[in-house]
Amino acid sequence: MKIHVYKNQVLGLFIFLVLLIVGLILYIITIKNSELDRISTLLFADRFTIASTKLVHDLQLERGLSVGYLSRATPDSTVRARLEKRFPRTDATWDRVMTDFIDGTSRPRQQLKAQIGARNTPHVLVLRKLHDQLPHMRNKILQRTISYQEALGYYRRINREMLSIMYALPTDDLEEGIVVYQLAQIKEYAGLERAYVYHQLLAGTESPSVDTRIDDVIDRQAALTRKLLFNHEQSDDMRRIAAVTKSLTYYRQLYRQHLLRLADAETWFQTSTRRIEFLETVILRTLQQRHQHLAKAQQKAHNILIGVMILGGMVLVLLLTLLGVLSRLIRHQMHLMEKLRIGSYVFESQEAMVIANQDGNIMDVNRAFETITGYTKSEVIGRNPSLLKSHQHDAAFYHDMWTQILSQGAWKGEIYNQRKNGEVYCELLSITAIKDPQGTVTHYVSNFTDLTELKAAEEQAHYQATHDMLTDLPNRRTMVQKLEIERTRAIRHRAYDAFLFVDIDDFKRVNDHYGHTVGDKLLQAISHRLTHTDTGRHFAARISGDEFCVLLVDVGTDALEATEATRRITQSLLSEIAMPYTIGVRDLRIGVSIGVRLFPEGEHTIEEIISDADTAMYEAKAKGKNQLAFFDREIQQKIADKMQMEKELRLGIERHELLCFYQPKVEVATGRIWGAELLVRWHHPERGLLYPGGFLDALESAALMPELSCLTLGQACAFVRQYGEMFEGPLSLNITVEELQSDRFVDRVYAIIAEYGIDPQRIELEILENDLIEDFDAVIAHMNALKAFGVQFSIDDFGVGYSSINYLHTLPVNTIKIDRAFAISLDEHRTQELVNVIVNLAKVFRYKVVLEGIEEPYQLEYAKTHGIDMYQGFLFSEAVDETTFLNLLRETHSCV
């Protein structure tokens, strides 16, 4: 604790010193930076004053020459040349002032502008305006279309604005700034005096008003000069100004006595100019002195700033070095304290710890030990850890453990011990022998972790990995492992086992009609029956959704005996599973299809055994519901032939080998073709023309029905668009209930009909009666949507199913097709009565009636006399290709 306090005190002192030094350095830096900024601004102001002074001087010369040029009675080419030569010099000086100072963007310029911007902005605006007028004013001067007074006033305004800007510049209370401004005023008045007198001499006239102005500017010069001489009488420049002014007094007196003439004009001009130029020299020299003074002050401030920064850095480095030394000392002490602290925490960690003396008796335990074992510290101090023995390990185990501890100094492993309450548990134990420098064991330290929860979690994870969570049956992985073991055993004992592949019939319909909750409960009930049916030694598992398997062990020692035993057991399973299931308030009946594979028979892998049983299961489904089938080579060949047929069928669709034939629908009353049913034929390259019975199963198992239906629909739409005027009714095509359940199929029907741009009523979809009624709820919405679009519907093979009148009332159909089985036995009275019932029922619902299978004249005659609308059959024509059907259309059309 004291070390922490000491550390905090040292750290606090260091922070205080650092903050103090940094604050002092920042203060000095801030002061010196402000001083440097101020000096930079003053230096910039000096440079601006120098440039402005030069501009004023150039403007004064240009003003004097302009007045002289305008004051002569006649133009003087020499003066004009001097004037034109002066213009570019003045422009160059003016451009430098505007670019470098007035419009500049440097930091000193911005600081200067911030200080005097408000006062100088009006002067700058006037100055810009006068600058813009300069070319025009010069042109007037050269053309002598302006009076000398206007020219004099124009230049005077420019200089006045320049002097006003110079007056607003910061001088930092330096005496040189005041002197410069006063000299600049004297110089401006001297320039005006030169211009007025020069004009009077050149014009040869005497103007009292001009003389008054001359006296005024002379008095102003005298007043300013006296002020300068009073304050700076010891200055050489001031004495020389006084001397030059005295030399000009002689010419002033001659002028006032009217003794100067035109010939004296240039002498006057030159004498005045010398005085003005001397004033210019004094101004510039004064500004340079001031500039040197500021430069020295700037360098001094800069040196101080650098020195302070270097000194501050050295002090900080010294403090950091000192802190580093102190920090290492403190860190070493804290490291020692931390090791002690960590040691105490380790001892009281989540792991149980025991410290024993060299005799093995317990000296100390931590709280985790008490929690795990149930013993308190007072109960175990002085006792041997053997009080935890569970008696599940023999003496050899403990002998090996202590041999390793004494020889290697440590032992680690799993061990079963016993809590105080008698409960046996598994722990991960580590024992370490502590030795002195001479190598003698002084203590033993052991730590252990309770593995009870970990073992339970491992068992749960193993169970979940090997079992199905819904039914608690073993899963496919476990079944494969069991099958491998039993196959090896059967080969060794020369006995037969049987593998049963069980698939629930129509399970999807249970989920669709009753929901997945009922479906899951049904799966659990079937699993229970598979497990608890008395079939001898067997092993059941769930492979996937509605697929199970059962392994029957030792069903016989020869093939015939094994087959009969397996058949008997499987029939018992079929009967048991077929019994009703009560789920909630529902009583459900369900069947299963079982494929059986006996093994071992030859060299077959586990996957081949499962696959063969799966193949046999599909053969059982083909026989009907709740059936079984044994795998044999004939089944395998059928499957292979079916797969080959699927492959050839896909290629056939790609190569356009599937063709549409047309079975005419003929009006009974008129004998005219009303429409046709499109039937698919496969023009196989090797087997010739195949009817649907030869490839329908392959078409359905390969899931190609939707694609074929769309191709047929496209053919029908194309025929209607080209030849639709030759017949009145629709073209119909057969679809399955699975297709009609699909939103995608409905969308494709919309798209194909829209693509060909035909009336949707010219297309009729035929669906089998049994399929329609069994999946009524699933398809009625799609039928209504297509019906609203305009597509017509027909119920095919009507009369062989179990349609109710309520269903017929709800279905959006247009036509009923009576199955050909009725036409075949139409000479029987009972059949005639059934057909009459169907026809009358259709009239109630306003359905058209088509009788299929008309092959004899008496059948047609019956249709004519009993209200049947249309018929199909070989009596008129079998299904024909498109060319033949077009000829039939033309024939019936011409007959009508």
Side-chain angles (χ1 to χ4, degrees):
M1 183 66 182
K2 291 181 179 179
I3 292 179
H4 281 285
V5 173
Y6 178 61
K7 177 186 175 183
N8 293 334
Q9 290 175 347
V10 172
L11 183 60
L13 178 61
F14 171 75
I15 293 174
F16 173 76
L17 290 175
V18 169
L19 292 176
L20 181 63
I21 293 173
V22 170
L24 181 60
I25 292 173
L26 290 177
Y27 174 75
I28 296 175
I29 290 174
T30 302
I31 295 299
K32 291 303 175 181
N33 272 331
S34 300
E35 183 177 348
L36 287 173
D37 287 342
R38 178 179 55 79
I39 294 174
S40 296
T41 303
L42 292 173
L43 288 172
F44 185 86
D46 280 355
R47 292 195 295 272
F48 175 73
T49 304
I50 292 171
S52 300
T53 301
K54 292 180 179 179
L55 176 58
V56 171
H57 185 71
D58 288 345
L59 288 169
Q60 288 172 341
L61 287 175
E62 185 176 322
R63 178 177 61 188
L65 292 173
S66 298
V67 170
Y69 183 69
L70 292 172
S71 299
R72 284 177 169 81
T74 58
D76 188 325
S77 58
T78 302
V79 178
R80 180 185 176 97
R82 289 175 60 193
L83 192 57
E84 290 176 342
K85 188 176 181 180
R86 169 53 54 186
F87 289 161
R89 297 179 183 176
T90 305
D91 290 340
T93 306
W94 201 321
D95 290 341
R96 182 172 178 271
V97 170
M98 296 300 292
T99 302
D100 295 346
F101 300 99
I102 300 299
D103 297 327
T105 57
S106 65
R107 188 163 179 264
R109 162 70 187 125
Q110 297 301 321
Q111 293 174 340
L112 184 63
K113 185 176 180 180
Q115 294 179 27
I116 62 173
R119 289 179 290 172
N120 271 342
T121 298
H123 300 303
V124 172
L125 293 175
V126 173
L127 194 61
R128 290 182 190 278
K129 182 177 180 182
L130 293 172
H131 178 264
D132 294 338
Q133 295 173 358
L134 183 59
H136 180 66
M137 186 61 65
R138 286 173 174 172
N139 188 48
K140 286 184 176 182
I141 291 171
L142 293 176
Q143 294 178 5
R144 295 170 60 87
T145 58
I146 186 174
S147 66
Y148 89 94
Q149 293 96 336
E150 291 177 309
L152 191 64
Y154 170 73
Y155 284 106
R156 185 178 181 182
R157 287 197 301 274
I158 294 177
N159 289 340
R160 184 171 60 241
E161 297 300 329
M162 289 298 302
L163 290 174
S164 296
I165 294 174
M166 291 168 58
Y167 180 74
L169 296 176
T171 61
D172 199 31
D173 297 329
L174 294 178
E175 190 175 1
E176 290 90 340
I178 300 173
V179 172
V180 167
Y181 181 71
Q182 291 175 344
L183 288 172
Q185 284 184 312
I186 293 172
K187 185 169 170 284
E188 174 61 14
Y189 291 138
L192 290 174
E193 179 188 359
R194 178 180 62 184
Y196 284 132
V197 174
Y198 193 39
H199 164 70
Q200 293 286 73
L201 295 176
L202 291 175
T205 60
E206 295 182 3
S207 173
S209 61
V210 175
D211 290 341
T212 301
R213 292 174 188 168
I214 292 172
D215 292 338
D216 180 62
V217 296
I218 291 173
D219 291 341
R220 289 177 183 270
Q221 292 176 68
L224 289 171
T225 302
R226 284 194 300 271
K227 187 175 181 180
L228 281 172
L229 291 175
F230 177 79
N231 294 323
H232 307 280
E233 61 179 344
Q234 301 299 324
S235 171
D236 293 338
D237 287 334
M238 295 301 104
R239 287 195 291 268
R240 294 184 64 185
I241 289 172
V244 174
T245 303
K246 288 179 180 179
S247 66
L248 190 64
T249 305
Y250 170 73
Y251 288 98
R252 290 174 176 171
Q253 292 174 352
L254 292 177
Y255 171 74
R256 288 172 176 168
Q257 295 173 6
H258 306 290
L259 297 178
L260 293 179
R261 298 291 183 265
L262 176 61
D264 299 316
E266 291 302 322
T267 303
W268 162 257
F269 189 84
Q270 295 299 328
T271 303
S272 299
T273 300
R274 283 195 298 272
R275 177 171 177 258
I276 292 172
E277 288 178 348
F278 179 72
L279 290 171
E280 175 75 7
T281 302
V282 173
I283 291 172
L284 293 177
R285 185 161 49 243
T286 304
L287 287 172
Q288 289 172 356
Q289 291 174 355
R290 169 184 163 85
H291 193 80
Q292 292 173 357
H293 174 79
L294 290 172
K296 289 179 181 180
Q298 184 184 40
Q299 185 63 40
K300 181 179 178 180
H302 184 266
N303 292 338
I304 293 174
L305 182 62
I306 296 299
V308 169
M309 294 176 67
I310 293 174
L311 180 61
M314 292 174 62
V315 173
L316 287 176
V317 170
L318 180 61
L319 286 175
L320 288 173
T321 304
L322 178 61
L323 179 66
V325 174
L326 293 175
S327 178
R328 283 193 296 272
L329 293 174
I330 295 173
R331 192 160 52 246
H332 178 69
Q333 295 297 323
M334 292 186 66
H335 180 67
L336 295 177
M337 295 296 295
E338 188 70 9
K339 289 177 67 176
L340 294 174
R341 187 181 65 84
I342 291 174
S344 65
Y345 274 111
V346 169
F347 188 72
E348 292 300 337
S349 64
Q350 297 298 317
E351 285 190 348
M353 295 193 69
V354 179
I355 300 176
N357 58 23
Q358 59 184 353
D359 296 326
N361 295 324
I362 298 174
M363 298 175 62
D364 197 5
V365 297
N366 64 358
R367 280 191 291 271
F369 175 91
E370 296 177 327
T371 302
I372 293 174
T373 66
Y375 290 98
T376 64
K377 181 184 294 188
S378 60
E379 290 175 321
V380 297
I381 295 296
R383 300 179 66 180
N384 193 280
S386 60
L387 83 159
L388 299 175
K389 277 187 178 182
S390 64
H391 303 289
Q392 294 196 13
H393 302 284
D394 55 19
F397 174 83
Y398 292 105
H399 177 269
D400 293 341
M401 180 179 73
W402 280 105
T403 299
Q404 183 175 337
I405 294 172
L406 295 175
S407 62
Q408 301 180 13
W411 179 90
K412 185 175 183 179
E414 290 187 7
I415 186 172
Y416 284 90
N417 274 336
Q418 184 172 285
R419 308 185 204 274
K420 182 180 179 180
N421 61 8
E423 178 187 351
V424 176
Y425 68 98
C426 181
E427 67 181 34
L428 179 62
L429 174 64
S430 175
I431 302 176
T432 303
I434 308 299
K435 300 179 181 180
D436 61 15
Q438 288 74 36
T440 304
V441 175
T442 60
H443 297 84
Y444 294 98
V445 176
S446 64
N447 59 289
F448 58 88
T449 304
D450 189 352
L451 299 180
T452 303
E453 294 183 359
L454 179 61
K455 291 291 185 181
E458 287 179 351
E459 292 176 1
Q460 179 66 21
H462 180 264
Y463 184 84
Q464 291 178 352
T466 57
H467 286 74
D468 173 58
M469 292 297 99
L470 177 65
T471 62
D472 279 337
L473 289 178
N475 57 19
R476 181 187 180 95
R477 174 185 173 187
T478 308
M479 171 57 81
V480 169
Q481 295 173 349
K482 181 68 174 177
L483 193 55
E484 182 65 45
I485 295 171
E486 290 301 324
R487 186 176 75 101
T488 303
R489 186 200 58 79
I491 292 173
R492 185 171 61 252
H493 293 280
R494 297 181 179 179
Y496 280 93
D497 292 347
F499 183 77
L500 280 57
F501 199 105
V502 182
D503 184 85
I504 302 176
D505 297 325
D506 299 325
F507 181 70
K508 180 178 180 297
R509 188 162 300 176
V510 174
N511 278 335
D512 292 343
H513 285 211
Y514 302 110
H516 288 277
T517 302
V518 173
D520 289 346
K521 291 181 178 179
L522 179 61
L523 290 174
Q524 291 171 338
I526 293 174
S527 301
H528 184 269
R529 293 188 184 183
L530 286 175
T531 305
H532 293 85
T533 300
D534 185 13
T535 59
R537 289 182 60 196
H538 73 285
F539 183 78
R542 184 186 180 197
I543 296 178
S544 62
D546 60 346
E547 294 177 338
F548 298 83
C549 63
V550 178
L551 175 61
L552 303 179
V553 180
D554 287 336
V555 292
T557 56
D558 62 70
L560 182 60
E561 177 188 2
T563 301
E564 290 302 321
T566 301
R567 187 185 303 278
R568 185 176 61 257
I569 294 171
T570 306
Q571 288 290 356
S572 176
L573 274 176
L574 288 173
S575 300
E576 181 68 23
I577 293 174
M579 296 291 289
Y581 297 86
T582 300
I583 299 176
V585 297
R586 299 180 179 86
D587 287 336
L588 301 178
R589 289 181 178 272
I590 199 77
V592 295
S593 298
I594 301 179
V596 182
R597 175 66 159 88
L598 294 178
F599 69 93
E601 289 182 345
E603 297 296 329
H604 294 285
T605 65
I606 298 302
E607 289 301 325
E608 287 175 338
I609 293 172
I610 296 174
S611 177
D612 291 346
D614 187 21
T615 300
M617 182 272 294
Y618 280 105
E619 182 67 19
K621 276 192 177 295
K623 294 180 181 180
K625 300 177 180 178
N626 214 40
Q627 299 289 329
L628 70 90
F630 282 81
F631 176 81
D632 58 28
R633 299 302 170 193
E634 183 179 351
I635 294 176
Q636 192 174 31
Q637 186 59 45
K638 287 182 180 180
I639 298 299
D641 292 343
K642 185 177 180 182
M643 293 176 64
Q644 179 63 26
M645 176 68 77
E646 292 177 6
K647 180 179 178 181
E648 293 178 359
L649 191 57
R650 294 182 187 277
L651 290 174
I653 293 176
E654 294 177 2
R655 297 170 181 171
H656 305 289
E657 294 173 0
L658 274 72
L659 308 175
C660 288
F661 276 54
Y662 298 78
Q663 173 74 55
K665 291 182 181 178
V666 184
E667 285 185 327
V668 171
T670 64
R672 182 182 62 178
I673 294 177
W674 169 258
E677 178 183 358
L678 269 68
L679 302 174
V680 177
R681 304 288 187 263
W682 184 5
H683 194 277
H684 196 280
E686 297 177 0
R687 306 178 191 177
L689 192 66
L690 299 181
Y691 287 81
F695 59 87
L696 185 60
D697 288 343
L699 194 68
E700 291 177 347
S701 63
L704 293 174
M705 284 297 295
E707 183 175 352
L708 184 62
S709 295
C710 290
L711 291 174
T712 307
L713 177 59
Q715 177 67 30
C717 292
F719 190 88
V720 168
R721 185 172 66 179
Q722 188 169 0
Y723 306 109
E725 295 181 356
M726 300 178 66
F727 59 98
E728 183 178 352
L731 292 183
S732 61
L733 55 143
N734 295 282
I735 63 170
T736 65
V737 70
E738 288 79 9
E739 292 177 89
L740 198 55
Q741 289 174 340
S742 169
D743 292 335
R744 186 169 181 268
F745 176 77
V746 174
D747 293 338
R748 292 180 71 178
V749 171
Y750 290 156
I752 293 171
I753 294 177
E755 178 184 355
Y756 285 93
I758 67 168
D759 184 356
Q761 294 187 11
R762 301 302 300 273
I763 299 297
E764 184 177 68
L765 302 180
E766 295 189 8
I767 185 168
L768 293 176
E769 177 190 17
N770 285 344
D771 292 346
L772 179 63
I773 300 306
E774 289 181 6
D775 290 273
F776 182 80
D777 294 332
V779 302
I780 189 65
H782 287 165
M783 290 183 68
N784 285 328
L786 288 170
K787 180 70 174 179
F789 181 61
V791 175
Q792 300 190 44
F793 283 94
S794 173
I795 302 178
D796 198 7
D797 291 350
F798 190 85
V800 299
Y802 44 86
S803 302
S804 69
I805 295 178
N806 183 55
Y807 275 133
L808 290 177
H809 177 68
T810 307
L811 288 172
V813 299
N814 305 87
T815 306
I816 291 176
K817 295 183 69 175
I818 301 176
D819 186 70
R820 65 187 305 274
F822 290 94
I824 293 173
S825 58
L826 199 56
D827 54 348
E828 298 178 4
H829 180 72
R830 178 179 175 85
T831 300
Q832 293 176 1
E833 292 294 330
L834 288 175
V835 170
N836 289 338
V837 170
I838 294 173
V839 172
N840 292 330
L841 186 63
K843 289 180 179 179
V844 171
F845 293 110
R846 298 181 181 179
Y847 297 154
K848 291 185 179 298
V849 179
V850 179
L851 181 60
E852 296 182 292
I854 299 293
E855 298 178 0
E856 301 294 337
Y858 82 89
Q859 296 168 336
L860 177 59
E861 188 62 30
Y862 183 88
K864 289 180 179 179
T865 58
H866 288 80
I868 295 174
D869 301 294
M870 287 167 284
Y871 74 94
Q872 289 179 266
F874 288 178
L875 181 63
F876 182 84
S877 172
E878 61 180 346
V880 296
D881 58 27
E882 183 175 301
T883 301
T884 305
F885 181 62
L886 284 172
N887 291 334
L888 291 174
L889 279 174
R890 294 186 182 98
E891 290 175 5
T892 57
H893 190 72
S894 61
C895 292
V896 176

